[in-house]
Structure formats: C-alpha cells, structure tokens
C-alpha cells in the first residue's frame, strides 16, 4: 500500500514539475517564443509519422495475408480523417476495423 502511494506521489510530483517547467523556462510573458511555436507546428506531424512507421515495421509482406489488414486499417483511418476531420473517429473506427479483420477475417 505504501509502495503504491509512493509511486502515485512521485508521478504527481513529476507531472507538476513538467507543467511548471514551461513557466520557469519561458516566463509569464504573453508572447510565445519562436522555438515553441516552431515545435508546436512540426512535432504533431512528426510524432504521427513515427507512430505509423513503428506500427507497420513488423509487417511480413511475404506471408499471407501480405499486410492486407494493416493496409486496410491505415486506409480507413486516412480516408475517415480526410472525410470527417475527426481524430477520435478516424483512429477509433480504423482500430475497430483492423481488429475485426485480424480476428474474424484473416484468421
């Protein structure tokens, strides 16, 4: 019990420290530093690209089903996002489609 409380306390302290670090580093000025603005523009796309590569890195294109469930899942996510512009919807339905394909169709 004490171990669990200690873990929660350390996590809470680290979370608080990272939240306060932005104010300590950049001050309370209303202007956003150019480096922060640049990172805010670049990092979301870079992180998504890294996640896609990480998720698709172990696909075996030489064995059945030749990466078809993954390809259909990625296509569903991309298509839904282009159509609806809703991250939660596109990722959620794409994941459901992928799980359905690997558990029911490509068994």
């Amino acid at each position: 019990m004490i171990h669990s409380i200690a873990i929660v306390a350390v996590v809470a302290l680290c979370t608080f420290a990272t939240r306060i670090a932005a104010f300590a580093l950049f001050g309370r000025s209303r202007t956003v530093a150019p480096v922060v603005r640049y990172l805010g523009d670049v990092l979301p796309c870079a992180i998504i690209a890294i996640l896609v590569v990480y998720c698709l890195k172990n696909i075996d294109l030489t064995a059945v089903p030749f990466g078809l469930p993954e390809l259909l899942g990625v296509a569903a996510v991309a298509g839904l996002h282009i159509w609806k512009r809703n991250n939660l919807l596109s990722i959620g339905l794409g994941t459901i489609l992928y799980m359905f394909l690997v558990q029911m169709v490509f068994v």
Side-chain angles (χ1 to χ4, degrees), residues 32-55:
V32 178
V35 67
V36 174
R37 186 168 298 152
Y38 171 75
L39 289 174
D41 292 338
V42 173
L43 280 181
C45 295
I47 290 169
I48 294 298
I50 290 169
L51 286 172
V52 169
V53 169
Y54 178 77
C55 289

Side-chain angles (χ1 to χ4, degrees), residues 18-33:
T18 56
R19 302 287 178 159
I20 224 66
F23 294 104
L25 291 174
F26 301 112
R28 292 188 160 264
S29 65
R30 294 284 183 211
T31 59
V32 178

